[in-house]
Amino acid sequence: MHSKMAARFRFFLLGLALLACFATVANSHEEPKVAAGIDFSYLGSSGPEKWGSMNSKYALCANGKTQSPINIVTDDVVKNKKLKSLVRDYQSTNATLINNGYNLGMKFNPDVGTLKVDGKEYSLIQMHWHTPSEHQIDGEEFPAEIHLVHMEPEHGTLAVVGILFKYGSSDPVLNKLKDELEELAKEKCQEDEEARIPVDKVNIKYLRKTNKKFYRYIGSLTTPPCSESVVWNILTKVKTISKEQVELLQAPLDSSYKKNCRPVQPLNGRKVEVYQKGDDDDDEDD
C-alpha cells in the first residue's frame, strides 16, 4: 500500500513539472520569464533597454561610451596600415558545451590556442553563439554570429574575434555537436542554472582561416555588465550555417533568450579600422 501511494506521489510531481513546462510555452506572449540565476533577458522589462537601470553593476550598459555591438558602415571605415594580421593558432581539444541560460557556449581546456593582436598574445578561453547576429554590416543583420573570446593572462584584458554566418551549407563545428545540442534541448525545462555536456576533440582549426580582411574597433561585452576596453575583430568573410543549425542553437533557450542579440550601439566618435592583406606575407590564405 505504501509503495502505491509513493508511486502516485511521484506521478503527481511529474505532472506538475510537465505543467510548468507547458505554462512557459503558453505564456510566452506575456511578460518574459527570466532564467534561473540570470536577471536580464532580451525582451520587455528585463530587455537591453533596461539593463543599465536594473543593477548598479550594469551601469555601463546605459552610460558607457564605447559599447558593442555596432553597425559597421563600410564607407566610413578607416584603413590603418599599422594593423597586423590576426595570428591565430587553435588546436583540437576536449571542451564543455554550456547552456548559460542566455546563450550556448563552449568552454575550452587550457592551451587550446592563442590569438596575437599587434604583438600581444591572448589565450582562447571560450566561444559562444548569438542568433541572429549582434554586429551588422551596412545595416544587414545575419542569422548567426560566433564570438571567440580571448584573454591576456597578465592583465585580464579581452580580445574577441567575431564571425558572421549567412544561410547556406551547414557549419562543420555544429555538425559535430548535433547530438550534444539535441541533448541540451531535452533539458531546457529543468531548473539547473547551467547545463554542461562534455565534448571530445572539438576541431576549431577551420575558424582561423579568414584573415585576409577584418574590422577593428574598441568596444565592450555585449551582455551585462557591458564592461568596456574589449578589442573587437570582426572578420569580413561570412561563413555559412543551415537553418536547422540555427534552430538547434535556439532550442535549449527559453523564449526570451532565443533571439539573443543586443541592439547595435552608437559609435560616439569611434572609428572602425580595417585591415586588408597587402604587404603582410605572413597572413594565411582561406
Side-chain angles (χ1 to χ4, degrees):
M1 185 70 179
H2 179 74
S3 60
K4 287 183 178 180
M5 291 180 64
R8 288 174 181 171
F9 184 65
R10 287 194 298 269
F11 182 78
F12 173 73
L13 291 178
L14 176 61
L16 288 178
L18 290 173
L19 285 173
C21 289
F22 291 141
T24 299
V25 176
N27 294 326
S28 59
H29 65 284
E30 299 176 358
E31 187 63 28
K33 175 185 175 183
V34 178
I38 306 170
D39 57 0
F40 68 92
S41 75
Y42 289 86
L43 294 172
S45 61
S46 56
E49 293 78 12
K50 305 294 184 180
W51 289 352
S53 59
M54 289 171 52
N55 187 320
S56 60
K57 295 180 181 179
Y58 301 167
L60 280 175
C61 299
N63 304 327
K65 299 302 182 183
T66 58
Q67 289 289 291
S68 297
I70 62 170
N71 173 39
I72 298 172
V73 179
T74 54
D75 285 344
D76 294 340
V77 299
V78 178
K79 189 171 183 179
N80 184 349
K81 294 183 178 180
K82 294 182 180 180
L83 288 182
K84 302 295 183 182
S85 63
L86 298 176
V87 181
R88 288 174 287 159
D89 183 16
Y90 302 151
Q91 309 297 326
S92 296
T93 183
N94 294 336
T96 304
L97 186 66
I98 300 174
N99 179 355
N100 291 313
Y102 54 91
N103 66 31
L104 300 189
M106 183 168 290
K107 184 176 181 180
F108 296 109
N109 289 345
D111 304 321
V112 60
T114 58
L115 165 71
K116 187 171 288 187
V117 178
D118 298 333
K120 183 182 291 187
E121 192 167 274
Y122 297 76
S123 298
L124 178 63
I125 55 176
Q126 57 110 324
M127 68 181 189
H128 58 268
W129 291 268
H130 292 271
T131 56
S133 71
E134 297 200 297
H135 288 89
Q136 298 178 11
I137 306 294
D138 292 327
E140 180 181 0
E141 184 180 74
F142 296 83
E145 179 175 350
I146 192 171
H147 293 161
L148 293 107
V149 183
H150 308 74
M151 178 180 288
E152 195 275 318
E154 185 176 354
H155 300 101
T157 54
L158 297 177
V160 182
V161 174
I163 304 175
L164 301 168
F165 289 81
K166 61 185 178 182
Y167 283 129
S169 57
S170 60
D171 172 60
V173 168
L174 289 174
N175 279 342
K176 300 290 186 182
L177 298 174
K178 185 174 184 295
D179 291 343
E180 288 82 1
L181 288 170
E182 289 177 344
E183 185 177 344
L184 279 180
K186 293 176 183 177
E187 299 179 357
K188 67 178 179 180
C189 280
Q190 294 186 6
E191 290 299 324
D192 295 338
E193 292 183 14
E194 192 174 84
R196 294 171 170 259
I197 297 178
V199 183
D200 293 331
K201 293 298 179 185
V202 178
N203 186 357
I204 60 170
K205 289 183 179 181
Y206 95 105
L207 290 174
R208 71 184 181 183
K209 295 184 178 180
T210 47
N211 261 8
K212 290 182 178 179
K213 187 177 180 181
F214 64 87
Y215 300 112
R216 164 78 55 76
Y217 79 98
I218 303 301
S220 72
L221 300 179
T222 63
T223 55
C226 305
S227 306
E228 297 186 329
S229 300
V230 177
V231 181
W232 279 95
N233 308 273
I234 308 299
L235 306 186
T236 62
K237 185 175 179 64
V238 179
K239 292 186 175 293
T240 59
I241 190 172
S242 70
K243 290 183 178 180
E244 292 76 15
Q245 288 178 325
V246 170
E247 291 172 358
L248 276 175
L249 290 172
Q250 294 178 335
L253 302 172
D254 286 336
S255 59
S256 55
Y257 301 93
K258 288 185 184 296
K259 293 187 176 181
N260 53 7
C261 62
R262 186 189 190 192
V264 293
Q265 303 296 302
L267 282 173
N268 292 324
R270 286 175 290 174
K271 291 294 184 181
V272 179
E273 299 177 331
V274 61
Y275 166 85
Q276 188 160 5
K277 183 178 179 181
D279 298 329
D280 191 345
D281 293 331
D282 293 332
D283 197 10
E284 57 184 304
D285 294 331
D286 293 334

